[in-house]
Amino acid sequence: MNAIEFKKVSKQFGAFFANKDVSFAVAKASIHGLIGENGAGKSTAMKVLFGIHPPDLGEIWVNDQPVKIHHPIHAMKHKIGMVHQHFMLAENESVLSNIILGQETGRFFIDRKQAVSELDAISKKYELGFNKWNVPVSALSVGDQQKVEIIKLLYQKSEVLILDEPTAALTPQEVQALFVNIQKLKQEGNTIILISHKLKEVLKFTDSVTVMRRGEIVGTRKTSETNEDELAEMMVGRKISFTYQGERKVLANTSNLKPVLEVKNLSIAASAMTHEPLVDVSLALKPNEIVGIAGVQGNGQTTLLRFLSNPAAFSRKCSGEYQIQGKSALRETPLSLRHKGVGLIPEDRIAEGLLLHQDMVENFLLGQHQDERYLKHGVLQRGIAREQVVKKISDFDIRPNHPGIWTGRMSGGNQQKLVIARALDPNPKILLTAHPTRGVDVGAIEKIHDSIIRERNQGKSVLLFSAELDELIDLSDRILVFFDGRIQGEFARNEFDAWNIGRVMGGGQK
Amino acid sequence: MSRWSAFQTSLLHPTVRSFIKSVLGSILGLILGLIICKFAGESPFHILKILYTSCFGSGYDFGMTLFCTAPLILTGLAVAIPLRAGLFNIGAEGQLTLGAIAVASSSVVWPSLTSHPALQWLAIPFAATLGFLAGGLWGAIPGVLKAKRGSHEVITTIMLNFIAAGISAYLAIYVLKDPESTQAQTVFLPEFFHLKPFTIFNGAPMGHLIWITLLGVVLFHLWITKSAWGYKLRAVGENELAAETYGISKQRSWMSSMFIGGGVAGLVGVVEVLGNSHRFKMGFSADYGFVGIAVALLARGNILGILPSAFLFGMLQKGSGSLDLETEKITRELSYLIQGLIILGVASEGLWEILSTHLKTRVLKGAKRKNG
Amino acid sequence: MSKIKNKCALFGMVGLLTSLLATPSWAELKVGLVLDSAGKDDKSFNSTAYDGMKRAEKELGIVAKTVEAPDPSSYETLQRAFADKKFDLIIAIGFLQLDAVKKNAARYPDQKFLLIDSDAQMPNVRSVMFEEQEGSYLVGALAAMHSKTGKIGFMGGMDVPLIRRFQLGYEAGAKKINPKIEILINYLGVTAEAWSNTPKAKELALAQYNRGADVIFVAAGNSGMGVFDAAEAQNKLAIGVDSNQDGIKPGHILTSMLKRGDEVVFDSIKLLKEGKLTPGLFRYGVKTKGVDYSVDSFNAKLVSADDRKKLEELRAGIISGKISVPDYYVIQKKK
């Protein structure tokens, strides 16, 4: 019996087919992987299933019956639930309030006691080991927030759970725990659809897997009968490699070179501007070097990046020294730093990096609006910028390949490529890079990693913030691990080991 | 199919989309208004004819329509410019009130203008500058409060409207009062402050100012869309965090957009005081500052879109008296109703989404049936 | 092409027909009334003018058309529209229309205008002004006669010279009766909202009553309703304005300072019909009863025969010139 079946579903945005004749089936009580590059249409397919975008054509069958799902309420009626990549939780409300939100309809009074006992039963049944019902969501770790989302679906009696990139923000230890839970859900008869771009996870934890490319289904495989290479080839349409294969060029005598960026004894107290304090942080970045910054989210990395990219904003709130090319940079602004050769790829491309209701050209100009190539006599040279964007589109393989498209309509990976292309456009000597491949597909990851290594090989310096340990291990020359606002440990390339680094991230000693 | 997709791609363009939404919204509002007229016992065609005649019936009518439109263009800009920087300026009414009293005070502020005929060509530019500065500084206050203290601009602009009314009333009654009059109005400005109306408008107080206003709109459009300054405003309005991350000061954008917006509102004083009554009269404004919000919303913040939008509202304003006069049952309230319905029609985003999805599905199904 | 021509001709015919039908017979007098932006439901000056117009329509058999100006820029347009339609008389209500009347009187020298509440000084305009201070003087005296506490109140709408004129007359009248009387004064605001801010009027009235005032004269358009509410709640007295408001809260409204816009409108139309309407400035004071205090069944118990006798003595004094009532307009001009 199939829990879910897509029959020739199409969804069009403008002239662009986000889904075209999509057909696949998900067996009941199984874990089904849905993989594909960003923009391949997997998120769209799930949004169609969840009723956010009703399909233009085709049918969806639930439990072997055709159904109409035109609104998330319909989806919930058919016991379909979804955990979005960005959690949909009210941060200041308690876990209980978040879970029963939307379930109180038709009842005038909410019986909180009964809700708690139901939730305890769910937690016990699925062995989730969670009972912090009255704690505000903001006080929970990312892993626990995810549990809350899953419990919420179970409380709504969902039988089909869609998980969109569930491991994006988790430590290796948390990932392991999540998949134990998912196995338990399956044993209890639930069906799980796992959207992911991490082939290793998909291979390890799913029963079958469907691959999408450019809005269409490439094929469905039994997980036990396929392998990483085959899936990758299906996704990208060509053979790709998983660890960086290229040359790591070492310039002569880097040890004697002076650091281009140096931070000495930097402390920043928690304030309205930042919730993550920094305590006595010192680091140096030399040419021809990638320094990775590891750590569980919320341990000071965000503050460090904000400080490094806009020290003037912290002028009266920090102590310590910050130098670029040997000169104090405490008063620099983002624009003057750019002038001094610092490029920035911000943490959250949507919140900090893009104007979603503007086209690629306008976005390309952000931060470059005073670059003399693009600004003449106070007038922005859109034509020149547009030519550059066209060039970047082909250099970075950005899709859709039309500079006039709104960035809000682009997939995450392509948005990220645009942000990187913009950061590299003035040819910076120092690159501050945060989560360059977050939510980006395999094919694009390779290209992004390529471009970062290329910068390094040209003698540039890169400070790489990432939540993906594999990525840090792949790319960095050194890794600094942050915990509680301090540098908890430093690893040289020959000491790299995921479990060790993971332990230091959790506050342990090296 | 290719033709259809080309059509769709052009529809995708945000400007085209919002233009279509605005036009459809206006038409929908008008149709609803006319249906209500029908229920009230007036033929919709008769109503349309009255509106048409009231606007284009004679040189005078057209001139008066333009006279109603010009302040709305200015207040529309006063709302739209800060809107591009993400601020909602409810204070255009106060800004234009102070602008108008500043314009009316110009002969008192610079008395030597009257005694030196050689300087008199400066009178109008001087008065206009004064109006712009008064409105601009008044607009800048909420901008500064927002930038420095985080005060919400909707609250502060509303409150400043009352303070502006108080200041202007005080000035009009006690400081600049016309000694010849028993009313709350300022002294009559000398002849060389007066803007000459076109004779073809046959008495309607509108002259070359309309060209200047049109030119101003085009310049503001270029400023917003082409200049680095305008780019900064738009970036802040769209995503202030991203703008800050890339070195654009949201504070500066807020303050400057409110100053310029307020200044443009202050120029309503030029239209009214220099062009029409040649003095400040309390209560001269037909709620221009508030209708300006509707004008900017209908234009969806697009600067050029303000022109047709303001003209539509100007036409309705001019027509509202005629509807009362020419019909038995329809009063001025109807045109307020139509204005409201138009805003509703434009604002009902969800409706357009449903319509376009419906249309698309039907067309796709149609195409499929043909192909297969 | 010919089709279009036909259509044009058809439209022309329709237009001609409708215009013929719309024209009433030539024998009737046509009078147009332009109310100011407060509109005919202001329960005040515009309302009284509208009442006069209705009466004239009924009793004198004229063709009457009333329009409410939607905004200040439309006074001129609406007057012009009446002039273009060859109305026999155009009545403009309110001082706000002064400039528009002046302009149009010059543009249409053969057109007759009646302007109420201001002086146009044009050869084809009959201007009517009311001596509000005289009526206010009388109600001020009456208020003082009825005050047991020696405190009375005045509540103005917008702080404009016209309302100051009410206030000055009221104060003088009260002091004539009781030179030591204390008068509490409040204005409601500086925007047009002051004419319709009932809650604020009520709050301020309650405050005045609590401070000891027992009679309040309110000259604030629709806001007056708030004062009447307060009078009822506190079991005190209030004085209405413009139209007869005695019946709104019977027993709590001592009297109303009448400004007989209805009489003026009706009389002028009557004069027009008789061919006796002349231009120039006409002042309506207590002598012609253009301004007056009201006595009717609602307040007959409050205003005793004694009171009325005293008031009539004061009226006679004003008419004869023995009593000079201060006029804010004059005082202000002297400044």
Side-chain angles (χ1 to χ4, degrees):
Chain A
M1 184 166 155
N2 288 328
I4 300 289
E5 191 170 358
F6 274 61
K7 292 195 170 176
K8 297 212 157 212
V9 169
S10 290
K11 178 76 201 169
Q12 208 182 0
F13 294 113
F16 168 69
F17 274 98
N19 276 182
K20 195 172 182 185
D21 285 341
V22 167
S23 302
F24 70 96
V26 178
K28 204 164 174 67
S30 73
I31 303 177
H32 191 100
L34 183 61
I35 62 172
E37 292 194 288
N38 273 294
K42 51 193 196 303
S43 287
T44 305
M46 289 304 106
K47 281 177 181 164
V48 168
L49 177 57
F50 194 55
I52 295 171
H53 297 312
D56 294 336
L57 292 171
E59 284 178 341
I60 291 172
W61 289 43
V62 173
N63 294 332
D64 296 338
Q65 297 288 325
V67 295
K68 277 214 157 85
I69 302 178
H70 285 174
H71 192 275
I73 289 176
H74 304 160
M76 288 177 201
K77 251 185 222 157
H78 293 294
K79 304 192 172 178
I80 300 168
M82 183 161 179
V83 176
H84 297 266
Q85 190 178 350
H86 303 281
F87 303 147
M88 306 288 183
L89 295 171
E91 295 243 311
N92 296 325
E93 292 295 323
S94 72
V95 170
L96 182 63
S97 302
N98 268 286
I99 290 175
I100 59 181
L101 179 73
Q103 295 300 303
E104 69 282 47
T105 37
R107 276 177 268 166
F108 191 72
F109 293 105
I110 301 163
D111 189 345
R112 287 177 172 260
K113 259 190 195 159
Q114 200 202 325
V116 167
S117 70
E118 276 176 44
L119 291 175
D120 280 332
I122 289 170
S123 181
K124 202 173 159 202
K125 181 178 176 191
Y126 295 101
E127 294 168 17
L128 295 168
F130 186 92
N131 61 357
K132 299 181 233 173
W133 311 120
N134 292 312
V135 174
V137 165
S138 56
L140 298 179
S141 70
V142 179
D144 276 353
Q145 291 189 12
Q146 193 168 50
K147 263 186 205 168
V148 171
E149 285 275 25
I150 291 171
I151 293 170
K152 186 172 165 184
L153 298 188
L154 296 172
Y155 180 74
Q156 293 166 0
K157 314 238 174 346
S158 297
E159 289 172 1
V160 177
L161 283 75
I162 308 166
L163 307 182
D164 189 1
E165 302 279 2
T167 62
L170 303 182
T171 63
Q173 284 83 355
E174 283 174 319
V175 172
Q176 191 63 40
L178 170 69
F179 282 110
V180 170
N181 291 333
I182 291 180
Q183 288 296 339
K184 184 76 192 166
L185 291 176
K186 177 184 142 187
Q187 283 164 26
E188 296 290 338
N190 294 291
T191 310
I192 291 109
I193 300 177
L194 178 71
I195 304 175
S196 183
H197 65 274
K198 291 182 183 167
L199 293 178
K200 278 186 189 134
E201 286 171 10
V202 171
L203 283 167
K204 209 164 158 190
F205 299 110
T206 62
D207 301 316
S208 52
V209 53
T210 295
V211 184
M212 291 187 76
R213 188 168 77 224
R214 299 197 176 171
E216 295 178 61
I217 299 289
V218 183
T220 300
R221 297 280 183 277
K222 278 215 158 101
T223 310
S224 53
E225 292 165 5
T226 185
N227 59 45
E228 202 171 350
D229 289 333
E230 188 197 10
L231 289 181
E233 203 176 327
M234 285 166 77
M235 265 168 77
V236 187
R238 62 186 159 84
K239 284 196 192 306
I240 58 162
S241 58
F242 291 95
T243 47
Y244 186 70
Q245 305 288 312
E247 177 190 20
R248 293 183 77 87
K249 226 161 109 186
V250 179
L251 298 184
N253 292 331
T254 43
S255 53
N256 296 338
L257 287 172
K258 278 195 183 146
V260 287
L261 180 150
E262 202 170 4
V263 173
K264 288 177 194 157
N265 309 106
L266 176 70
S267 294
I268 294 173
S271 68
M273 253 175 84
T274 169
H275 300 297
E276 306 171 22
L278 284 181
V279 186
D280 199 24
V281 170
S282 298
L283 62 90
L285 184 62
K286 289 183 177 178
N288 187 223
E289 170 175 70
I290 297 174
V291 173
I293 304 287
V296 177
Q297 199 188 339
N299 279 287
Q301 307 96 303
T302 301
T303 308
L304 179 66
L305 180 67
R306 291 217 178 132
F307 170 78
L308 293 179
S309 58
N310 189 5
F314 290 84
S315 62
R316 267 178 244 135
K317 298 176 184 95
C318 68
S319 68
E321 194 44 52
Y322 175 24
Q323 288 181 344
I324 284 177
Q325 315 278 19
K327 281 182 196 142
S328 174
L330 282 172
R331 285 160 181 269
E332 304 288 350
T333 64
L335 283 183
S336 68
L337 278 177
R338 181 179 179 280
H339 210 70
K340 290 198 152 54
V342 180
L344 172 69
I345 297 165
E347 272 192 318
D348 183 336
R349 59 177 169 265
I350 290 177
E352 300 169 308
L354 292 170
L355 312 174
L356 295 182
H357 296 283
Q358 303 290 338
D359 64 12
M360 284 200 229
V361 182
E362 293 284 291
N363 275 280
F364 184 72
L365 285 168
L366 187 63
Q368 313 223 67
H369 54 278
Q370 277 169 351
D371 189 307
E372 52 203 18
R373 285 174 297 164
Y374 306 123
L375 183 68
K376 286 184 181 127
H377 316 295
V379 178
L380 282 170
Q381 305 296 310
R382 257 188 74 95
I384 296 172
R386 192 188 168 91
E387 282 168 25
Q388 273 297 321
V389 172
V390 169
K391 213 173 138 234
K392 304 286 176 193
I393 286 174
S394 72
D395 285 357
F396 287 81
D397 190 23
I398 300 173
R399 280 176 239 159
N401 60 358
H402 193 276
I405 202 101
W406 273 14
T407 50
R409 294 181 178 273
M410 289 161 58
S411 69
N414 287 304
Q415 290 173 340
Q416 188 69 12
K417 287 184 209 163
L418 179 68
V419 171
I420 295 171
R422 177 175 70 196
L424 297 180
D425 182 58
N427 197 18
K429 294 188 188 71
I430 303 165
L431 198 58
L432 305 175
T433 312
H435 313 298
T437 57
R438 178 178 276 177
V440 172
D441 52 78
V442 185
I445 288 175
E446 196 190 12
K447 287 215 172 64
I448 289 168
H449 285 177
D450 252 359
S451 59
I452 292 174
I453 295 274
R454 204 188 314 129
E455 294 297 310
R456 172 198 175 277
N457 287 349
Q458 286 168 11
K460 311 280 180 59
S461 316
V462 180
L463 200 59
L464 175 65
F465 295 73
S466 178
E468 308 261 350
L469 256 186
D470 289 345
E471 176 172 79
L472 289 169
I473 290 172
D474 247 15
L475 299 182
S476 308
D477 294 288
R478 282 188 291 143
I479 291 177
L480 306 176
V481 184
F482 270 72
F483 180 74
D484 212 10
R486 296 166 200 275
I487 296 179
Q488 181 83 358
E490 177 171 350
F491 293 82
R493 192 165 172 82
N494 55 13
E495 303 171 308
F496 287 177
D497 172 82
W499 280 98
N500 265 339
I501 297 175
R503 201 156 39 76
V504 179
M505 280 163 68
Q509 290 302 320
K510 186 176 161 185
Chain B
M1 190 61 203
S2 73
R3 217 194 232 175
W4 171 248
S5 61
F7 175 60
Q8 281 221 314
T9 318
S10 70
L11 275 188
L12 254 181
H13 196 279
T15 320
V16 179
R17 270 186 154 215
S18 45
F19 179 74
I20 290 175
K21 279 185 194 171
S22 293
V23 171
L24 289 178
S26 314
I27 292 173
L28 188 74
L30 204 60
I31 289 173
L32 285 174
L34 291 175
I35 289 173
I36 290 168
C37 292
K38 182 76 191 162
F39 280 119
E42 286 289 346
S43 147
F45 295 102
H46 186 48
I47 301 284
L48 283 176
K49 197 176 147 240
I50 292 170
L51 283 176
Y52 177 82
T53 317
S54 143
C55 176
F56 301 105
S58 68
Y60 172 76
D61 286 319
F62 188 61
M64 279 310 288
T65 306
L66 289 183
F67 176 73
C68 293
T69 303
L72 294 179
I73 292 177
L74 295 171
T75 52
L77 284 173
V79 177
I81 291 170
L83 199 60
R84 297 308 288 266
L87 298 186
F88 202 19
N89 179 14
I90 313 281
E93 189 70 21
Q95 291 144 18
L96 74 88
T97 307
L98 282 192
I101 198 143
V103 170
S105 72
S106 43
S107 68
V108 179
V109 172
W110 195 4
S112 47
L113 268 179
T114 317
S115 45
H116 294 80
L119 287 176
Q120 284 174 2
W121 62 274
L122 275 171
I124 288 168
F126 173 70
T129 312
L130 222 52
F132 186 90
L133 283 178
L137 292 175
W138 200 250
I141 295 172
V144 171
L145 287 174
K146 169 97 180 176
K148 303 288 179 202
R149 316 249 24 117
S151 323
H152 201 286
E153 76 282 0
V154 169
I155 313 278
T156 49
T157 47
I158 287 178
M159 298 208 290
L160 283 167
N161 280 341
F162 287 100
I163 300 176
I167 293 176
S168 67
Y170 176 78
L171 291 174
I173 295 172
Y174 296 105
V175 182
L176 301 162
K177 183 167 169 16
D178 179 8
E180 297 302 312
S181 163
T182 55
Q183 310 315 331
Q185 55 190 27
T186 63
V187 287
F188 196 73
L189 287 172
E191 187 77 18
F192 52 85
F193 276 102
H194 300 186
L195 291 167
K196 300 280 168 296
F198 290 148
T199 44
I200 49 156
F201 287 158
N202 195 17
M206 184 45 72
H208 289 295
L209 200 58
I210 197 69
W211 303 127
I212 298 171
T213 311
L214 292 179
L215 183 71
V217 172
V218 173
L219 288 179
F220 273 116
H221 173 71
L222 292 176
W223 172 66
I224 285 278
T225 55
K226 304 283 177 203
S227 76
W229 190 358
Y231 179 82
K232 288 186 209 167
L233 291 193
R234 286 186 290 127
V236 169
E238 162 108 30
N239 184 344
E240 50 182 84
L241 186 56
E244 271 195 306
T245 306
Y246 285 90
I248 297 168
S249 157
K250 62 181 180 193
Q251 282 88 356
R252 240 179 271 168
S253 292
W254 285 340
M255 291 189 283
S256 62
S257 68
M258 282 302 290
F259 174 73
I260 290 170
V264 175
L267 291 178
V268 172
V270 174
V271 180
E272 166 65 20
V273 177
L274 301 188
N276 183 32
S277 53
H278 310 304
R279 56 159 49 115
F280 174 84
K281 285 194 207 168
M282 258 170 82
F284 76 87
S285 163
D287 282 344
Y288 294 127
F290 298 112
V291 183
I293 298 168
V295 169
L297 289 182
L298 177 58
R300 291 171 172 265
N302 183 312
I303 303 292
L304 286 182
I306 284 174
L307 289 177
S309 166
F311 188 72
L312 176 67
F313 279 97
M315 212 170 105
L316 287 171
Q317 189 195 323
K318 166 74 173 52
S320 58
S322 309
L323 286 178
D324 194 353
L325 185 71
E326 304 287 341
T327 65
E328 284 305 317
K329 300 184 178 92
I330 308 295
T331 59
R332 56 183 177 167
E333 275 74 21
L334 177 84
S335 78
Y336 301 153
L337 191 77
I338 295 179
Q339 288 180 16
L341 288 171
I342 286 176
I343 295 300
L344 272 181
V346 176
S348 48
E349 288 275 350
L351 189 66
W352 304 123
E353 287 303 316
I354 293 167
L355 272 180
S356 73
T357 319
H358 192 72
L359 188 75
K360 200 162 67 183
T361 315
R362 285 186 57 174
V363 170
L364 274 179
K365 280 194 177 144
K368 194 136 193 177
R369 224 170 280 139
K370 259 187 209 164
N371 295 345
Chain C
M1 193 64 198
S2 66
K3 227 179 185 176
I4 294 171
K5 254 187 196 164
N6 281 343
K7 262 191 184 165
C8 286
L10 194 67
F11 273 120
M13 289 275 284
V14 170
L16 198 66
L17 269 173
T18 46
S19 60
L20 278 173
L21 288 173
T23 317
S25 82
W26 55 274
E28 286 174 316
L29 278 178
K30 288 187 290 176
V31 179
L33 173 65
V34 182
L35 299 175
D36 79 7
S37 35
K40 60 187 165 210
D41 296 322
D42 71 346
K43 292 192 182 148
S44 188
F45 201 50
N46 283 295
S47 292
T48 62
Y50 183 64
D51 290 343
M53 187 75 166
K54 282 271 154 203
R55 206 179 123 207
E57 189 177 12
K58 223 196 249 164
E59 294 179 14
L60 304 175
I62 54 154
V63 175
K65 176 74 196 172
T66 305
V67 291
E68 302 170 270
D71 59 74
S73 71
S74 58
Y75 298 139
E76 191 185 333
T77 313
L78 292 172
Q79 291 168 13
R80 247 180 113 144
F82 278 130
D84 286 337
K85 287 171 184 285
K86 306 264 182 278
F87 270 56
D88 298 280
L89 176 67
I90 300 168
I91 305 176
I93 301 297
F95 57 79
L96 291 171
Q97 304 206 42
L98 171 65
D99 286 354
V101 167
K102 274 186 174 172
K103 265 195 191 170
N104 283 325
R107 179 174 292 276
Y108 300 94
D110 298 329
Q111 171 72 48
K112 289 194 180 81
F113 289 91
L114 170 65
L115 173 63
I116 296 184
D117 239 11
S118 197
D119 180 12
Q121 297 173 325
M122 298 290 284
N124 51 340
V125 181
R126 183 181 178 96
S127 304
V128 172
M129 291 182 78
F130 291 95
E131 305 290 356
E132 290 95 353
Q133 75 280 16
E134 294 182 3
S136 302
Y137 186 92
L138 295 185
V139 300
L142 188 64
M145 289 181 233
H146 280 261
S147 173
K148 292 178 190 104
T149 55
K151 275 187 195 169
I152 56 173
F154 175 80
M155 181 93 58
M158 201 151 107
D159 188 355
V160 289
L162 174 67
I163 303 301
R164 290 270 169 186
R165 208 175 188 214
F166 281 83
Q167 182 200 328
L168 227 57
Y170 178 69
E171 288 177 318
K175 287 199 168 135
K176 174 80 181 170
I177 299 299
N178 174 7
K180 283 186 203 153
I181 200 156
E182 192 184 333
I183 301 159
L184 307 173
I185 292 161
N186 279 113
Y187 280 87
L188 286 168
V190 289
T191 60
E193 202 206 351
W195 305 118
S196 56
N197 197 341
T198 321
K200 189 173 176 187
K202 186 173 177 182
E203 283 307 309
L204 286 173
L206 287 173
Q208 288 194 354
Y209 286 134
N210 286 336
R211 284 169 60 197
D214 45 9
V215 187
I216 297 176
F217 177 31
V218 55
N222 264 333
S223 303
M225 300 303 147
V227 179
F228 302 151
D229 276 351
E232 188 184 43
Q234 297 272 309
N235 199 18
K236 299 272 169 68
L237 293 173
I239 298 175
V241 78
D242 288 354
S243 55
N244 187 341
Q245 301 178 312
D246 299 353
I248 296 175
K249 298 278 180 197
H252 294 286
I253 299 179
L254 179 58
T255 184
S256 297
M257 202 292 267
L258 301 174
K259 206 169 148 184
R260 303 300 298 267
D262 49 346
E263 293 288 335
V264 173
V265 168
F266 182 80
D267 287 349
S268 306
I269 297 172
K270 202 171 161 198
L271 285 173
L272 176 75
K273 203 173 179 190
E274 292 160 1
K276 291 183 196 157
L277 190 76
T278 50
L281 174 63
F282 294 82
R283 289 181 186 275
Y284 282 64
V286 289
K287 184 181 172 190
T288 49
K289 301 207 170 178
V291 291
D292 204 353
Y293 60 94
S294 62
V295 180
D296 59 14
S297 59
F298 296 112
N299 68 345
K301 279 182 192 158
L302 292 170
V303 185
S304 66
D306 241 21
D307 294 343
R308 291 175 68 174
K309 204 181 138 204
K310 265 191 210 160
L311 290 177
E312 289 312 314
E313 278 168 21
L314 291 174
R315 184 203 298 275
I318 295 171
I319 294 169
S320 67
K322 267 184 211 157
I323 297 171
S324 96
V325 180
D327 181 354
Y328 185 77
Y329 288 169
V330 176
I331 293 168
Q332 198 193 19
K333 272 196 184 173
K334 272 184 200 155
K335 266 198 232 165

